[in-house]
Amino acid sequence: VSTQSTGDDMKITVLLLLLFVSYALAGLVSNALGSNMVLQRAPAKAHLWGWTKSPRANVQVTLGTKVYHTVSSADNSWDLFLPPSAPGGPHTITVRADSDPAPVTLENILFGDVYVCSGQSNMQFTVRDVFNATEEIAAAANYPNIRLFTVGQGTVSNTSLEEFNTIEQTWSVASPESVAGPSWSYFSAACWFFGRDLYDEIKVPIGLISSNWGGTYVEAWSSHDALAKCNKSEEVRAPLKISADSKKNVKADPNQPHVLWNAMIVPLLPMSITGATWYQGEANAGDPKFYACGFPAMISDWRAKWGENTPSDFGFYFVQLAPWIMNGTKNVEATIRLAQTAALELKNVGMAVAIDDGDPTSPYNNIHPRGKQIVGERLSLAARAITYGQKVQYTGPTATGYQVLSDGPNAKVQISFEPSSIGSGLELRQNQCSNYLTVDQCGWFEIGTSGGWFNATVSLDGDKVNLEASVGNNKVIGARYGWANYPVATLYNKEGLPAPPFAFPNPL
């Protein structure tokens, strides 16, 4: 490149080089596939794809005693759907092309259910760093039918990539070694505990694909089409400050619209999958109104663009954000948690509430709680109920509205809940604001009035909750729970699932 090239010329040159590298790396079999992987089981058809060295090449795929044929396209790409296959294995798949000098053999393949786990640093947070890590790592030896793949950080792109330019962990059999890679590298703790708990219940091989990047906005994981649904401009975000939640020598900036969608999700779109999990939102905490549109728009767009043999309404399970300390601000986290719930309007979407998973003394910054077992278990409960139709309780008490029983000075309000969320009954717990927090960071039950918000005492009334507060001569105009950066979780159902925070009227 000439030393007198303009900035735009340099950008074009870098983009062309990136596209050249992507094409050069393309092999007979996509690098999203590999030995030890899990392919999607019946009733779906597992999808194989790749590139031959010349167009119109004959491609032969062998699975056991069965042989399948296809021909690559003018752009050298080929793909083939295998017949629906029962769960299990191991299997060997061999791919040959008359344009390529050597076949590619994929060994130790299982058929089962495949999940993509994505988001920012709390999805990136690794098994090595959780509570009871030594025991959890050792237990991974008991799960050889779970297989792991980690997309690497370091590649962003303004255009869609066909192949990954960076892979952190190729397909690996779950083991103490493959689960306990370096901190912030592999394997994702939330993803692992989700897959492990799910496997314990369904006893079907599980493939887990971890694709995440700490500190990133939802816009980076969204296509142009998704952001357009929310009238989001193509503005450039401030460059990401690489800190403890990345721990990598990263020069590429992932905090621009679409760049992680293009580089870390698009190469997976041909793959047949069962569903996805998501732990993200902290970076968008200052823009809840956009997130209430942008997050469900991203989910819908992922579903619309995923491969033809993946259900168009595949299960999508996300974590409602755990609390973290934000001294100097009030209720910022509360509004983003509420914005997250907009996604529940979509079909087959489940939420794992994590307001009781705070970790104010986390050595990884208190925004990164070490109790990822909690979110993994709750994500798996949602999947078991929604994707697999099991009769399990997967939601905590979810408020549907309130009734004013009396105005001030002694105000009384009654909260109603979605019947299916109550489970075996409501339960109050005597949890307290942590000594590590200032009281203004915590939140309980409150009654809203024309004169402001007042902390309320709470009592159970069957399947409802009654609130009382001395509010003077003010008129009652609302009620809320956990409306704070660091909610104090006191309401659960008897299955042990916490109520998500709520606010009436909805401030968004």
Side-chain angles (χ1 to χ4, degrees):
V1 179
S2 168
T3 56
Q4 298 183 358
S5 297
T6 66
D8 287 342
D9 290 338
M10 182 65 74
K11 291 177 182 177
I12 292 171
T13 301
V14 170
L15 180 58
L16 289 173
L17 286 172
L18 185 60
L19 290 174
F20 173 78
V21 170
S22 179
Y23 178 78
L25 290 175
L28 181 58
V29 174
S30 167
N31 64 9
L33 310 174
S35 294
N36 303 313
M37 77 176 300
V38 172
L39 290 171
Q40 186 59 44
R41 62 165 168 155
K45 297 177 180 179
H47 193 202
L48 304 176
W49 72 99
W51 293 265
T52 55
K53 292 189 178 300
S54 61
R56 309 301 182 190
N58 294 308
V59 178
Q60 175 183 290
V61 176
T62 303
L63 171 61
T65 61
K66 303 290 186 180
V67 180
Y68 308 95
H69 298 273
T70 188
V71 177
S72 62
S73 301
D75 64 358
N76 294 24
S77 66
W78 68 270
D79 75 295
L80 184 143
F81 285 97
L82 297 173
S85 301
H91 300 278
T92 298
I93 295 174
T94 301
V95 181
R96 296 178 174 84
D98 56 17
S99 63
D100 291 53
V104 173
T105 299
L106 308 180
E107 299 177 316
N108 196 25
I109 303 296
L110 301 178
F111 285 92
D113 288 344
V114 181
Y115 284 89
V116 175
C117 304
S118 191
Q120 57 179 108
S121 56
N122 270 309
M123 185 62 85
Q124 183 181 344
F125 192 93
T126 34
V127 175
R128 174 177 294 279
D129 303 308
V130 302
F131 289 124
N132 302 315
T134 300
E135 294 83 355
E136 300 288 14
I137 291 168
N142 300 321
Y143 294 91
N145 284 342
I146 300 179
R147 307 299 174 82
L148 314 174
F149 182 93
T150 302
V151 180
Q153 296 177 359
T155 298
V156 303
S157 179
N158 289 320
T159 59
S160 297
L161 301 184
E162 293 181 319
E163 287 275 74
F164 292 122
N165 283 347
T166 316
I167 294 175
E168 187 72 26
Q169 179 187 34
T170 58
W171 280 102
S172 305
V173 177
S175 68
E177 294 73 27
S178 64
V179 164
S183 296
W184 304 104
S185 182
Y186 63 86
F187 190 71
S188 161
C191 188
W192 168 249
F193 292 123
F194 161 76
R196 184 194 70 178
D197 290 0
L198 184 60
Y199 178 83
D200 282 341
E201 296 298 328
I202 68 172
K203 302 299 184 185
V204 167
I206 299 289
L208 299 173
I209 300 171
S210 175
S211 182
N212 42 68
W213 197 318
T216 52
Y217 296 88
V218 72
E219 294 95 315
W221 299 96
S222 304
S223 73
H224 291 273
D225 295 335
L227 295 185
K229 292 178 182 177
C230 301
N231 297 315
K232 186 70 171 179
S233 67
E234 298 294 314
E235 63 187 33
V236 176
R237 289 282 193 177
L240 174 67
K241 295 180 180 179
I242 305 300
S243 59
D245 62 0
S246 190
K247 296 286 189 182
K248 294 181 183 294
N249 183 23
V250 175
K251 296 181 180 179
D253 177 21
N255 252 346
Q256 309 307 320
H258 328 303
V259 295
L260 301 183
W261 156 258
N262 287 329
M264 299 181 73
I265 298 298
V266 169
L268 292 170
L269 295 184
M271 185 177 293
S272 301
I273 65 171
T274 298
T277 66
W278 178 259
Y279 197 158
Q280 189 275 340
E282 298 93 341
N284 289 92
D287 197 2
K289 289 188 177 179
F290 162 70
Y291 202 84
C293 177
F295 179 37
M298 185 205 77
I299 297 171
S300 296
D301 189 67
W302 280 27
R303 287 170 162 177
K305 290 182 167 61
W306 219 277
E308 62 185 84
N309 222 250
T310 292
S312 60
D313 56 358
F314 64 76
F316 193 101
Y317 307 109
F318 70 92
V319 181
Q320 189 181 48
L321 299 181
W324 73 95
I325 301 170
M326 293 184 70
N327 291 322
T329 67
K330 291 184 66 175
N331 305 336
V332 171
E333 297 171 39
T335 54
I336 195 66
R337 290 189 190 102
L338 183 62
Q340 288 181 292
T341 65
L344 297 176
E345 298 297 319
L346 301 176
K347 184 180 179 182
N348 296 337
V349 172
M351 180 175 74
V353 177
I355 63 167
D356 57 347
D357 190 34
D359 186 6
T361 63
S362 172
Y364 308 101
N365 189 324
N366 73 89
I367 199 172
H368 302 128
R370 289 166 284 178
K372 293 297 188 286
Q373 295 91 332
I374 292 175
V375 296
E377 177 188 13
R378 293 173 183 171
L379 288 168
S380 72
L381 284 172
R384 288 169 58 194
I386 295 173
T387 293
Y388 300 94
Q390 295 185 2
K391 296 187 181 301
V392 294
Q393 187 67 38
Y394 73 97
T395 59
T398 304
T400 56
Y402 75 102
Q403 179 183 1
V404 178
L405 303 181
S406 65
D407 281 314
N410 297 313
K412 296 182 180 180
V413 170
Q414 187 171 80
I415 309 296
S416 299
F417 298 87
E418 169 61 41
S420 65
S421 71
I422 294 171
S424 301
L426 300 176
E427 178 179 282
L428 290 174
R429 298 187 182 181
Q430 300 302 314
N431 294 327
Q432 305 295 325
C433 185
S434 169
N435 292 333
Y436 295 96
L437 306 172
T438 56
V439 174
D440 66 318
Q441 291 286 297
C442 295
W444 298 267
F445 282 98
E446 299 171 88
I447 293 178
T449 75
S450 54
W453 289 91
F454 294 82
N455 286 334
T457 59
V458 58
S459 61
L460 300 182
D461 185 3
D463 60 358
K464 295 180 173 59
V465 167
N466 291 335
L467 308 182
E468 296 187 37
S470 297
V471 302
N473 293 320
N474 294 303
K475 181 179 177 62
V476 175
I477 58 173
R480 65 189 186 187
Y481 165 71
W483 197 253
N485 291 335
Y486 216 102
V488 179
T490 55
L491 179 62
Y492 289 73
N493 55 30
K494 291 184 178 179
E495 283 73 17
L497 296 173
F502 61 81
F504 301 115
N506 187 325
L508 298 181

